[in-house]
Amino acid sequence: MKAALVDFHCHLDLFPDLASAISAAETAGIYTLTVTTTPRAWPRNYDLTRKTKYIRAALGLHPQLVAERSAEIKLWEEYLPHARYVGEVGIDAGPQYYRSVDLQKEIFATILRKCAETGGKVLTVHSVRAATAVLDLIESHLPRHRGQVVLHWFTGSKSEARRAADLGCYFSVNAAMMRNERGCGLVAALPSDRLLTETDAPFTRADNRSTSPSDVKATVEALAALRRETPENMAHMISSNLRAVLGDAGAPLDD
Ligand code: MN
């Protein structure tokens, strides 16, 4: 049996047509986690994906939007009991968002605490220039048995990656992370049993066009080459890691 592909972080609601992006991923049989950047977007994403076999929607409040939309944390909290997947959430301490970093930390801490309270959530987390701050908050507010964290497009140091793995985190890796030497070094050092794949579509590019979930195939191949595995073994590893993240032996995205 061929292992199914996994895109554990993309933004199908930023494609020209959400419904057709969902049906393309469903037809391709790619296990896809589509994230939202504001809780206002979640109900429609949830409705359009809940009956699919392969696609699930995550309830997010993107750190880059926190400066203008922190009040939407109330709406996020209201939807949380209905959501198994949470994201995009986290901290962005890049130059454009640095001014809101204290507020972002407050919101992210609230999100982690609420997830810990309810239990059983799977989070996809942004940590641009903020790996240590993100890990500090996870360590303080989300005990390992109360939720599962996947670090999306992780660009921290190798020692931060080790700390993240010790805290129980997974890593969703995209092709752009393997386009420079530092990124390759980091990705090569991640533990095999913590790897997932993602596209962050439509924000990444492949062959001079914006990506879609089916581009994870090339990511699996690049990851396999970097880690000296066959693409088949790599795909199996990722699919079994997905099962481990979701904590069940059944259909990977069942909720
Ligand atoms: Mn994203």
Side-chain angles (χ1 to χ4, degrees), residues 3-254:
L5 295 170
V6 176
D7 183 355
F8 211 69
H9 184 112
C10 64
H11 300 254
L12 297 185
D13 68 352
L14 302 179
F15 280 53
D17 179 349
L18 172 60
S20 63
I22 289 169
S23 71
E26 178 77 354
T27 305
I30 297 164
Y31 287 104
T32 302
L33 185 63
T34 184
V35 305
T36 55
T37 53
T38 135
R40 284 187 198 285
W42 187 74
R44 178 155 182 263
N45 280 266
Y46 180 65
D47 284 343
L48 288 172
T49 53
R50 58 189 300 187
K51 299 269 166 60
T52 65
K53 177 170 179 202
Y54 292 101
I55 330 294
R56 293 293 180 271
L59 170 63
L61 181 48
H62 199 294
Q64 295 174 350
L65 298 181
V66 159
E68 307 98 72
R69 292 178 181 256
S70 58
E72 288 187 33
I73 189 67
K74 293 284 162 235
L75 191 59
W76 183 92
E77 286 180 31
E78 190 184 316
Y79 292 145
L80 184 64
H82 310 285
R84 179 171 183 200
Y85 300 93
V86 169
E88 182 162 359
V89 294
I91 302 175
D92 192 315
Q96 248 187 298
Y97 305 101
Y98 193 78
R99 271 170 302 155
S100 65
V101 87
D102 289 336
L103 185 56
Q104 292 180 46
K105 284 182 185 169
E106 240 176 77
I107 295 283
F108 186 48
T110 301
I111 286 171
L112 293 169
R113 274 197 301 268
K114 293 287 168 190
C115 288
E117 259 168 54
T118 43
K121 308 299 184 195
V122 178
L123 294 77
T124 175
V125 173
H126 176 115
S127 55
V128 169
R129 299 213 188 170
T132 290
V134 160
L135 297 176
D136 286 347
L137 290 176
I138 291 169
E139 187 168 30
S140 319
H141 299 294
L142 183 63
R144 203 171 166 157
H145 63 284
R146 298 300 295 163
Q148 187 62 68
V149 172
V150 179
L151 296 167
H152 133 74
W153 202 331
F154 185 77
T155 54
S157 66
K158 284 184 192 173
S159 71
E160 287 164 328
R162 262 193 306 277
R163 181 182 171 209
D166 289 342
L167 289 172
C169 298
Y170 283 69
F171 301 87
S172 57
V173 171
N174 63 49
M177 293 168 70
M178 294 181 275
R179 283 183 196 142
N180 60 63
E181 208 177 311
R182 182 186 183 272
C184 285
L186 175 75
V187 171
L190 298 175
S192 298
D193 62 349
R194 299 301 176 78
L195 289 174
L196 295 172
T197 44
E198 62 158 63
T199 58
D200 205 16
F203 293 119
T204 52
R205 295 187 74 76
D207 306 325
N208 236 357
R209 53 169 175 79
S210 59
T211 46
S212 71
S214 54
D215 289 303
V216 282
K217 186 168 183 287
T219 307
V220 171
E221 288 162 0
L223 202 45
L226 182 63
R227 298 175 62 99
R228 300 172 199 283
E229 280 285 347
T230 65
E232 290 71 27
N233 283 349
M234 190 53 67
H236 273 286
M237 211 180 274
I238 287 159
S239 142
S240 90
N241 291 346
L242 178 63
R243 280 168 208 276
V245 167
L246 302 179
D248 61 38
L253 292 184
D254 275 2

